[in-house]
Amino acid sequence: MQENTLSVLKIAPGQHPQQVEIDNDLKALQQAVGGSIGASYPFEDPVAIVYNDDGKLMGLPLNRALRDENGEMYDAVAGTFLVVGLGEEDFASLTPEMAQKYEQLFHQPEAFLKLGNRLLVLSVPDEPPAEKPRTKPSAEHDR
């Protein structure tokens, strides 16, 4: 792969992550997120989240929750964002392992529900859940 293209994850609201190739320049990054870019480094891995810096101000739909090590949401990314690798001084392609890890982390689209001053995050199921039997299993196994 050439130095001037990056293999990254593109995550749009309501969709599963897609592995895409984009040019490693500001214009391509801005185009991918639909505006001026911001970057955040919320993980210990050498990866960054590249997002639309004005996404929340512009009222872009909330996309995914960012959670701390206890699974508590501390922020949400608005609009489409990219997960990119970090090189020596610049963004880099994701390694296959990192691409897989963050595809799994952000795999499930999320919906956000405002309740008063709280924000609830709900995973959006891929398909309607199958009918579950309505009978409760016997309690014999619960010893």
Side-chain angles (χ1 to χ4, degrees), residues 16-66:
H16 295 298
Q18 290 180 296
Q19 194 151 8
V20 298
E21 305 273 326
I22 66 166
D23 289 332
N24 188 7
D25 63 41
L26 184 61
K27 189 174 173 202
L29 292 167
Q30 289 173 332
Q31 202 172 350
V33 301
S36 60
I37 63 168
S40 131
Y41 310 92
F43 308 111
E44 287 185 18
D45 292 321
V47 299
I49 289 180
V50 176
Y51 55 90
N52 185 323
D53 209 17
D54 303 319
K56 289 181 182 160
L57 293 173
M58 293 165 60
L60 294 179
L62 293 178
N63 186 343
R64 298 293 199 281
L66 296 177

Side-chain angles (χ1 to χ4, degrees), residues 5-6 17-18 21 23 37 42-43 45 70 90 97 102 109-110 112 114 122 125 132 139 141:
T5 49
L6 299 178
Q18 290 180 296
E21 305 273 326
D23 289 332
I37 63 168
F43 308 111
D45 292 321
N70 303 320
D90 207 351
E97 298 79 28
Y102 289 95
E110 292 177 327
F112 294 82
K114 202 162 168 47
L122 308 168
K132 290 191 175 72
H141 303 297

Side-chain angles (χ1 to χ4, degrees), residues 6 13 17 22 33 35 39 48 72 78 93 101 104 109 121 126 139:
L6 299 178
I22 66 166
V33 301
E72 297 292 317
S93 288
K101 177 177 180 178
Q104 287 171 347
V121 186
D126 285 339

Side-chain angles (χ1 to χ4, degrees), residues 62-103:
L62 293 178
N63 186 343
R64 298 293 199 281
L66 296 177
R67 295 178 171 83
D68 63 20
E69 55 276 359
N70 303 320
E72 297 292 317
M73 182 175 101
Y74 62 86
D75 200 1
V77 183
T80 298
F81 67 95
L82 304 173
V83 180
V84 302
L86 293 177
E88 292 287 314
E89 343 183 312
D90 207 351
F91 296 137
S93 288
L94 290 172
T95 64
E97 298 79 28
M98 290 295 149
Q100 185 177 9
K101 177 177 180 178
Y102 289 95
E103 197 287 331

